[in-house]
Amino acid sequence: MAHDDWRLRIELGEGDTGGLLGSLGVLSLEARELVAHFTSERLAVTRDGNTIFVYAGSADELDSAEKAIGVELGALAVAPVEIVREHWLAAEERWDDEPHEPSVESETLSHGFAPWEVRIPCESHSEAHALADQLERAGYGVVRRWRYVIAGVASRDEAEAVAARFHGTPGPGGELVWETTPGNPFALFGGLAG
């Protein structure tokens, strides 16, 4: 059975983490019970500076861990700065109490660029012109350069669909692409050396 991802973030004052983590090393009856609880529930505990994280597979497991930790903190006479319950939001790839960061795609769009582009080579200048018109009517942002059409799209999936339909190449938007002709490594410098 699949579980959610939950964690308890315990922000402690300067120097308090060693006491709580040390108590997990079986210094008291309460600490032994806490260690037994963590072991039986298969909870993970990590530390980052003055912050301790307790990871659980369900809200109920986290409730139980929070109660046990509260007892131990009381026995140690440690008042945490903050205790926060967090739930992992898989679709957004963040904990629910963290600010929602804009996606790379939305950030790219906010700067006026398509997050994904499809580069489509055409057989002729007139074919590229017709394809550019067709894509613009379909609502895509289009740049046409001689026999090439570059269509701006909103997502990787859309880029792959447009590329498959028009035999193009999808890629992240906003990139500068240099092409050299075979045998002429100086083509990007204006065709020096042949």
Side-chain angles (χ1 to χ4, degrees):
M1 179 176 154
H3 292 283
D4 280 340
D5 288 305
W6 291 84
R7 80 177 179 186
L8 194 61
R9 179 171 43 90
I10 307 162
E11 302 282 346
L12 298 172
E14 201 64 40
D16 288 338
T17 56
L20 179 58
L21 290 176
S23 71
L24 295 176
V26 189
L27 296 177
S28 68
L29 175 61
E30 291 84 6
R32 277 183 283 216
E33 290 172 1
L34 186 57
V35 169
H37 174 77
F38 283 3
T39 302
S40 69
E41 294 294 327
R42 294 189 170 189
L43 302 178
V45 179
T46 63
R47 174 182 171 195
D48 182 12
N50 292 330
T51 305
I52 295 175
F53 297 99
V54 179
Y55 296 89
S58 72
D60 289 340
E61 288 177 4
L62 201 63
D63 286 340
S64 182
E66 187 172 7
K67 288 175 189 167
I69 289 169
V71 169
E72 188 59 27
L73 287 171
L76 293 168
V78 172
V81 174
E82 183 177 37
I83 297 179
V84 180
R85 296 173 57 91
E86 300 174 314
H87 184 232
W88 181 250
L89 303 174
E92 298 178 33
E93 294 190 357
R94 67 180 180 91
W95 294 101
D96 62 354
D97 71 317
E98 294 174 343
H100 179 23
E101 296 291 325
S103 68
V104 172
E105 283 84 3
S106 63
E107 188 73 20
T108 304
L109 277 171
S110 73
H111 288 94
F113 297 101
W116 288 87
E117 294 176 345
V118 180
R119 186 172 178 272
I120 307 165
C122 297
E123 292 294 321
S124 67
H125 175 74
S126 60
E127 183 183 322
H129 198 23
L131 179 60
D133 289 344
Q134 178 185 353
L135 290 168
E136 280 180 338
R137 282 192 303 274
Y140 295 106
V142 176
V143 174
R144 183 186 49 78
R145 298 293 181 256
W146 192 242
R147 294 185 313 119
Y148 298 93
V149 175
I150 300 171
V153 297
S155 69
R156 181 182 189 146
D157 291 340
E158 189 177 9
E160 289 173 354
V162 170
R165 181 172 175 204
F166 296 104
H167 308 289
T169 306
E175 288 189 350
L176 181 61
V177 178
W178 294 93
E179 282 192 13
T180 61
T181 56
N184 186 359
F186 300 104
L188 68 119
F189 295 113
L192 298 175

